[in-house]
Amino acid sequence: MNSLVISSAYSVEYAIYNMRHEASAASVYGKVPIDQILNTVKKQPHLVEKTFPSEKYPTVHFNPASRNYNKPKNIVVILEESLGATFVKDLGGVGVTPNLEQLRQEGWWFKQLYATGTRSVRGIEAVISSFLPTPARSTVKLSLSQQNFYTAADLLSRKGYFTEFIYGGETHFDNMGSFFTGNGFQSILGQGDIVNPQFVGSWGASDGDLFNTAHQRFKELEKIGQPFFSLVFTSSNHEPFEFPDNAIELYSKSKNTVENAVKYADFALGEFIKKAKRSEYWEDTIFLIVADHDTRVYGNELVPINKFHIPGLILGGSIKPRKIDSIVSQIDLLPTVISLAGVSSWTPSIGQDLSAENVPFANRAMMQFGNNYAWMTNDAVIILTPSGSMAGYYDFHKNSFVRSSKVHDTLYNDALAHALLPSWLYQNLAYFVPEDLN
């Protein structure tokens, strides 16, 4: 039905194809009994001591908060469109994000953070739901996940938070509005809710207008003492790269280029953080700034690992500076932020709470690129494909995958279990926290 609105026979046929692909995705790398899959996953360092009380929801476990406050902190997730490591000097990029470069010194800065995919909905799925990637489409679009599917908004709404999605464009894009409404977001604001925008392009109101709206919302909620969780999703750094002229001194060469769009996105982010720091909600809020993915990927690599490298920063009045060099996945971010906010919770997420004391970092990332899946650690990489697997390692200096002949059985089993688990959880409606565990 979502595809029918586009008025394209191809779109409808492609939707039918994808529905069939949902079912086959669970076995694209082979078949392993679910008990064996779960046993492998639960041996991960951050999960091995956890208790899993539900047979129907087999990954649900309790995660105690690592911080304790008089009242839990607000949480704001700023999801930056296409802002990959490609553009960040500290991460080896071209260096067009001076505000982010400055802010990284004030919070938790992730040096080796990797996206799970190359599309916005994949980034949303990983950040907001901490859900592992699959060969099928993102769960934001899939039929069985439109209700009773875990999100941070669902968790926090049960804890008394007001939960909201704020976007400068049309919220029905990529089925975001429907997915969010059905899974814990109490309010959805889109282009039509941004009052007197200064600039509107193909993708909607500018990042500056978006952040102005978000800032006003946060001030209002803080004034009435309402704890809030907000997802703010930017769009100015998206082709055809349209943005205001009011910061023209930032731009070089012809205006509508990707680097200039990133400069504007970084400028808008910096202006917002300046306002936030002067506000009453700053001390009561934890901010996560993270990219949904890097720019579009070209080439014939099975999995272009370097194009999954993204910036991530946890910021706020209660956050002390920290640099994290370990390999981290997008699925680890919200478990960490929720814990830092002082919220203990039941969760089906197998992402790691990086703030938990005396627990070694998992030091791994998983990446889905079409039908290919990469599982990466510091010293090895396994790439799964429908026709088989290959092993090697990632050369961080040359930003390239180096193939080797030896396959480590343990690493292969870890990769296969994590690649197969999410499809099983989706098909069995098992990625959710039942009310009796709330």
Side-chain angles (χ1 to χ4, degrees):
M1 290 301 296
N2 286 328
S3 299
L4 189 61
V5 178
I6 303 174
S7 301
S8 165
Y10 169 80
S11 296
V12 176
E13 290 172 4
Y14 186 67
I16 295 171
Y17 162 80
N18 274 292
M19 289 175 69
R20 292 171 179 162
H21 192 51
E22 287 178 36
S24 62
S27 59
V28 68
Y29 307 122
K31 293 184 178 180
V32 178
I34 186 58
D35 289 346
Q36 185 177 328
I37 291 172
L38 290 167
N39 184 54
T40 300
V41 169
K42 290 175 183 179
K43 286 182 179 178
Q44 292 292 299
H46 62 291
L47 296 174
V48 69
E49 298 296 330
K50 300 291 186 181
T51 300
F52 301 86
S54 175
E55 291 186 7
K56 183 176 180 181
Y57 304 97
T59 62
V60 171
H61 60 280
F62 188 73
N63 192 59
S66 61
R67 302 290 188 272
N68 187 27
Y69 311 101
N70 291 330
K71 66 173 183 176
K73 299 290 185 180
N74 308 313
I75 298 174
V76 172
V77 177
I78 299 172
L79 195 62
E80 289 281 349
E81 171 67 48
S82 304
L83 187 62
T86 300
F87 305 106
V88 183
K89 184 176 181 181
D90 186 66
L91 302 179
V94 295
V96 287
T97 58
N99 289 284
L100 188 59
E101 295 282 357
Q102 176 60 40
L103 292 171
R104 71 178 172 82
Q105 303 175 53
E106 302 175 20
W108 284 29
W109 178 243
F110 297 92
K111 294 282 287 184
Q112 293 292 343
L113 172 64
Y114 291 86
T116 63
T118 58
R119 298 297 301 271
S120 294
V121 282
R122 188 68 81 190
I124 289 170
E125 167 190 81
V127 173
I128 298 304
S129 292
S130 299
F131 194 66
L132 294 161
T134 74
R137 292 185 300 171
S138 163
T139 50
V140 174
K141 291 186 170 186
L142 296 184
S143 57
L144 299 181
S145 48
Q146 298 307 302
Q147 289 183 327
N148 298 327
F149 189 83
Y150 172 82
T151 68
D154 181 59
L155 183 163
L156 294 168
S157 65
R158 300 188 195 188
K159 300 287 185 179
Y161 280 68
F162 174 73
T163 56
E164 187 165 61
F165 172 51
I166 308 177
Y167 183 53
E170 298 295 336
T171 59
H172 60 73
F173 174 70
D174 265 348
N175 201 49
M176 293 186 297
S178 176
F179 176 79
F180 291 145
T181 300
N183 291 303
F185 282 85
Q186 299 162 358
S187 173
I188 307 288
L189 300 185
Q191 181 177 339
D193 301 295
I194 295 180
V195 180
N196 298 322
Q198 295 181 356
F199 180 88
V200 177
S202 300
W203 285 92
S206 71
D207 286 2
D209 294 307
L210 171 72
F211 284 128
N212 286 338
T213 298
H215 178 60
Q216 292 300 320
R217 295 291 288 175
F218 303 159
K219 287 199 303 181
E220 293 167 3
L221 292 166
E222 179 72 13
K223 187 175 181 179
I224 63 175
Q226 171 64 58
F228 58 87
F229 168 76
S230 181
L231 170 62
V232 182
F233 187 20
T234 71
S235 60
S236 289
N237 182 29
H238 198 301
E239 292 181 286
F241 307 124
E242 299 168 312
F243 39 87
D245 292 325
N246 61 352
I248 194 66
E249 69 274 8
L250 295 173
Y251 311 140
S252 59
K253 302 179 182 178
S254 59
K255 180 187 173 186
N256 298 109
T257 66
V258 62
E259 289 188 8
N260 284 340
V262 173
K263 286 181 181 180
Y264 171 71
D266 178 74
F267 169 77
L269 173 65
E271 293 299 297
F272 167 70
I273 294 297
K274 288 177 186 176
K275 292 179 182 178
K277 286 181 176 179
R278 296 192 297 265
S279 74
E280 293 184 0
Y281 64 79
W282 173 258
E283 291 294 330
D284 293 331
T285 306
I286 292 179
F287 300 83
L288 169 63
I289 303 167
V290 62
D292 57 352
H293 56 82
D294 201 338
T295 51
R296 288 298 176 89
V297 180
Y298 302 96
N300 57 3
E301 292 182 77
L302 290 176
V303 179
I305 293 173
N306 65 307
K307 293 300 289 185
F308 286 75
H309 191 196
I310 58 172
L313 176 66
I314 299 174
L315 200 65
S318 62
I319 301 298
K320 305 299 181 185
R322 181 180 180 184
K323 183 175 72 172
I324 297 176
D325 294 314
S326 297
I327 295 173
V328 173
S329 170
Q330 276 178 322
I331 70 168
D332 302 318
L333 296 176
L334 255 296
T336 302
V337 170
I338 289 169
S339 182
L340 287 171
V343 178
S344 298
S345 63
W346 289 95
T347 175
S349 164
I350 63 166
Q352 182 173 17
D353 172 8
L354 302 171
S355 69
E357 296 183 0
N358 303 318
V359 179
F361 279 16
N363 211 16
R364 54 81 190 100
M366 61 291 295
M367 291 155 263
Q368 190 79 45
F369 187 60
N371 281 337
N372 300 333
Y373 179 94
W375 176 266
M376 181 173 72
T377 67
N378 261 341
D379 52 9
V381 176
I382 293 288
I383 296 180
L384 306 178
T385 75
S387 59
S389 65
M390 65 179 60
Y393 67 92
Y394 187 68
D395 188 324
F396 290 95
H397 298 290
K398 296 181 180 179
N399 292 325
S400 63
F401 170 72
V402 180
R403 187 171 180 176
S404 64
S405 58
K406 185 177 181 181
V407 177
H408 300 277
D409 289 343
T410 299
L411 194 69
Y412 172 78
N413 290 336
D414 284 344
L416 185 59
H418 286 82
L420 297 179
L421 176 62
S423 292
W424 186 94
L425 292 172
Y426 167 76
Q427 291 288 346
N428 288 274
L429 306 178
Y431 197 69
F432 190 63
V433 177
E435 287 292 342
D436 59 357
L437 286 179
N438 187 32

